[in-house]
Amino acid sequence: MDISRREYIKSMGAAGLIASTGGFAPRVAHATQAETAPQPRQALSVRRQYPPPRVAKEFLWVSAEDFTHRGGWHMDTQFVYLMGSSYLIARSADAPVDDAWMEFDVQQSCRYRIWVRMRDWLPEYHPGTFQVVLDDAPLPKVMGEADRDDWHWAIAGDVELTAGTHRLALHDLTGGFGRCAALILTTEMDYIPPHEVDALMHERLRLNEGATEPKDLGHFDVVVVGGGPAGCPAAIASARLGIRTALVHDRPVLGGNASSELGVPSEGASIIQPNARETGVIEEVTRLQVHEGHGTLSIPYATMTEAEPQLTVLLHTRILGVEMDSSERIKTLLGVDVRDGSPVKISAGYFIDCTGDGWVGHYAGAQYRIGWEARWQYDEPDAPEQPDLITMSGTLMGPFCFEAVDVGEPVEFTPPPWAAQLPDLVSIGRRPNPNFYGEWWLETPGDRDDLYDTERVRDELIRISYGYWNYVKNEWPERDKAANYDLVDVPHSLAKRETRRLVGDTMLTMNDIMDDSRFPDTIAYAGWPLDVHNPQGIYGG
């Protein structure tokens, strides 16, 4: 799905509107900013079920977060804005993972149908299959096998359940990134769960009898959205001025790409000047990182934010919309707790969008651009004659692209059939790292949609990681150096590089960097070379 790239006015920017009905699919309007002020939208809502949930009346809705024991399955909350919920993903390099399981209570004996919301992420190969296991008995239908590549419901089977406590498990069959978002147990054999995301979330509310009103997280002077390398310093600086500030972040830890989940270092000045370092809050946090021996910035940022009495940190909170006042200013943010889908709202006098994708500005109707501007727009010497839609690919992180270990003896690698087929990397100027960890150039081509097709983009990076390791082990001219290395992990978290760029009063350009332009609101100095990646990703030299 690449409508969001191709149907907007590239050179002038356009406000993309989230469709008010039919889920989170993008609807991009060719209109001016004034014409595209979005309507308030209802945040998703659900009530998480604590201790053993019961089958009340005819239904039981089981969400990914209800699995109290996750085994080898990982909770993935990266795509809540696309699919409306988190999900469990079975991630392993070469073997099935341990079961995820939970218990529930049945009030009366009856026959139940079990629906599963799942995705076959590569239907040509069905890489991630699993079974639903009820009281140690696998249901006959194998999940993760479909002729479609989208999230949908499938029937796992019909079972007779007696009154009492039962055990429900997800049993992975491949370790190939199988995924499950929810299950429904129902006595109504004619019932069909809704497919569209908005309808799906309304149904989740109905079945769980969840609250429809969002929880009010409070009113602040300033709300910073996005707890990465931009948002954390902004929130800390605001709080130090005595301003009542909230920092809203959709992950369990702070740091964004520099967090313990992803691990990209915050550095720049030292790349050009060996004895240089960053300034401002970034310098403070990196010095704390070194002093305390942390590998990433999550704990140092937690330490610094906790030290600010005027700062409230709200983790696990994804913003999905805004409410505007009569003067077309944002007054309230609408979102969800990504752990359970419960709706939340937060208000402020001022909002700072540090989401990386510019979501808050986008929801408010701000113009944006994607890709390269034409040379005529800013007279940048390296800009193309015509604008394009190319953006730099993200990279899998946590570990960096993959993890391989020296096991002390030769080990063979047979790639899965769905691994990406790569060119001869040496012949196009790519040289594998002799220490056998990831490379920054394990990237997709830059014409992929990192905003509205993000899960498929991430999945392609998984395929590339396996294809790269196959090249290192079986095709690289120096493959004997990798003989004793075994692939033990391929991550599922995506560290993005570039997507939406909001149009504002000041647009930073290549000329500003090359001319060392100074701005009146400068708060710190840093440094990094102009870093433009090959638009073909790993397929280009």
Side-chain angles (χ1 to χ4, degrees):
M1 176 177 62
D2 50 11
I3 183 174
S4 63
R5 285 184 177 274
R6 295 178 181 168
E7 296 186 9
Y8 75 104
I9 303 174
K10 167 62 181 67
S11 60
M12 297 302 293
L17 292 180
I18 294 292
S20 59
T21 60
F24 292 101
R27 177 182 297 159
V28 177
H30 295 247
T32 66
Q33 180 176 350
E35 294 172 329
T36 56
Q39 298 296 316
R41 56 173 309 198
Q42 180 65 47
L44 308 182
S45 177
V46 72
R47 182 186 66 185
R48 184 174 182 181
Q49 308 206 17
Y50 292 97
R54 293 183 174 184
V55 177
K57 301 179 181 178
E58 299 87 11
F59 292 94
L60 171 67
W61 183 293
V62 178
S63 298
E65 58 269 14
D66 288 322
F67 282 85
T68 52
H69 302 79
R70 293 177 187 162
W73 295 70
H74 296 259
M75 182 68 73
D76 195 339
T77 63
Q78 297 173 95
F79 313 115
V80 169
Y81 71 102
L82 292 173
M83 55 170 294
S85 73
S86 56
Y87 64 90
L88 293 176
I89 183 168
R91 161 185 138 197
S92 172
D94 60 1
V97 305
D98 293 339
D99 291 358
W101 62 275
M102 51 88 71
E103 293 182 338
F104 64 95
D105 290 334
V106 169
Q107 295 176 298
Q108 60 182 15
S109 300
C110 198
R111 185 171 183 80
Y112 292 87
R113 173 157 293 171
I114 300 180
W115 288 88
V116 179
R117 190 177 184 222
M118 58 87 174
R119 183 173 189 172
D120 181 354
W121 64 274
L122 205 60
E124 308 95 292
Y125 298 101
H126 312 308
T129 59
F130 63 96
Q131 286 179 291
V132 176
V133 178
L134 196 58
D135 297 329
D136 298 324
L139 300 188
K141 175 68 174 178
V142 173
M143 299 288 101
E145 293 183 343
D147 58 358
R148 51 192 289 186
D149 174 17
D150 65 347
W151 283 97
H152 65 278
W153 293 96
I155 297 174
D158 298 337
V159 295
E160 297 285 345
L161 294 180
T162 59
T165 300
H166 296 269
R167 188 178 189 270
L168 180 68
L170 302 179
H171 179 65
D172 178 37
L173 298 175
T174 63
F177 299 85
R179 50 202 76 176
C180 174
L183 300 94
I184 295 176
L185 281 71
T186 178
T187 60
E188 295 187 7
M189 296 300 168
D190 294 333
Y191 171 80
I192 299 176
H195 174 69
E196 296 295 337
V197 174
D198 283 354
L200 182 74
M201 294 297 98
H202 282 295
E203 184 71 344
R204 183 180 183 181
L205 276 176
R206 183 181 76 86
L207 297 184
N208 285 339
E209 300 178 351
T212 58
E213 291 299 317
K215 178 182 177 181
D216 192 343
L217 300 179
H219 180 84
F220 296 84
D221 300 316
V222 171
V223 170
V224 179
V225 184
C232 286
I236 291 169
S238 174
R240 287 176 177 176
L241 294 174
I243 299 171
R244 189 164 179 263
T245 305
L247 175 59
V248 178
H249 191 46
D250 61 356
R251 307 302 305 164
V253 293
L254 294 173
N257 277 0
S259 71
S260 56
E261 290 186 302
L262 300 177
V264 181
S266 285
E267 61 184 5
S270 62
I271 299 299
I272 303 300
Q273 301 285 345
N275 296 317
R277 63 189 186 203
E278 315 311 313
T279 59
V281 176
I282 290 291
E283 178 190 27
E284 290 182 53
V285 73
T286 52
R287 292 180 70 184
L288 182 61
Q289 174 191 15
V290 172
H291 177 70
E292 296 185 349
H294 300 296
T296 64
L297 296 184
S298 288
I299 294 178
Y301 270 134
T303 300
M304 292 180 65
T305 55
E306 289 168 2
E308 299 300 330
Q310 293 295 322
L311 179 57
T312 299
V313 177
L314 302 168
L315 300 176
H316 306 287
T317 304
R318 175 81 191 203
I319 300 305
L320 295 176
V322 303
E323 289 181 341
M324 312 287 283
D325 63 19
S326 59
S327 61
E328 296 300 310
R329 288 172 56 90
I330 302 171
K331 67 175 184 179
T332 304
L333 304 179
L334 303 175
V336 295
D337 185 320
V338 297
R339 294 168 297 184
D340 59 17
S342 57
V344 298
K345 66 179 182 179
I346 185 170
S347 58
Y350 295 89
F351 299 88
I352 301 175
D353 186 349
C354 296
T355 57
D357 290 326
W359 284 110
V360 177
H362 168 64
Y363 291 139
Q367 293 181 329
Y368 68 90
R369 294 175 180 153
I370 293 178
W372 282 49
E373 289 91 358
R375 185 176 302 173
W376 56 263
Q377 288 180 270
Y378 296 118
D379 195 29
E380 296 170 301
D382 290 348
E385 292 296 331
Q386 297 298 326
D388 63 41
L389 305 178
I390 299 298
T391 57
M392 288 191 289
S393 167
T395 299
L396 294 181
M397 295 296 294
F400 182 22
C401 301
F402 63 88
E403 182 180 3
V405 297
D406 187 343
V407 297
E409 60 184 10
V411 56
E412 295 182 353
F413 177 72
T414 301
W418 45 265
Q421 299 298 311
L422 303 181
D424 180 358
L425 298 177
V426 171
S427 70
I428 61 173
R430 302 295 198 188
R431 182 174 176 80
N433 190 310
N435 295 318
F436 305 117
Y437 53 78
E439 304 279 3
W440 60 264
W441 38 265
L442 266 64
E443 302 172 330
T444 65
D447 59 353
R448 291 178 174 265
D449 189 342
D450 289 319
L451 278 173
Y452 293 107
D453 207 18
T454 323
E455 189 178 2
R456 286 191 182 92
V457 171
R458 188 278 312 273
D459 291 343
E460 183 62 20
L461 289 169
I462 291 173
R463 297 182 64 231
I464 286 173
S465 290
Y466 279 93
Y468 172 78
W469 189 244
N470 176 54
Y471 178 83
V472 169
K473 291 287 288 187
N474 300 319
E475 300 173 17
W476 184 35
E478 301 177 52
R479 56 187 173 272
D480 59 302
K481 296 179 179 179
N484 291 354
Y485 281 82
D486 190 21
L487 182 68
V488 297
D489 191 19
V490 174
H492 67 277
S493 294
L494 173 61
K496 292 184 182 179
R497 282 192 174 90
E498 179 187 11
T499 56
R500 184 189 289 119
R501 187 167 57 260
L502 298 179
V503 176
D505 295 334
T506 298
M507 301 290 287
L508 189 70
T509 70
M510 175 183 180
N511 295 326
D512 292 322
I513 304 300
M514 299 303 294
D515 297 340
D516 193 22
S517 298
R518 305 300 173 96
F519 299 94
D521 57 352
T522 295
I523 61 168
Y525 297 94
W528 191 265
L530 284 173
D531 188 3
V532 180
H533 294 200
N534 191 299
Q536 294 302 313
I538 195 172
Y539 300 97

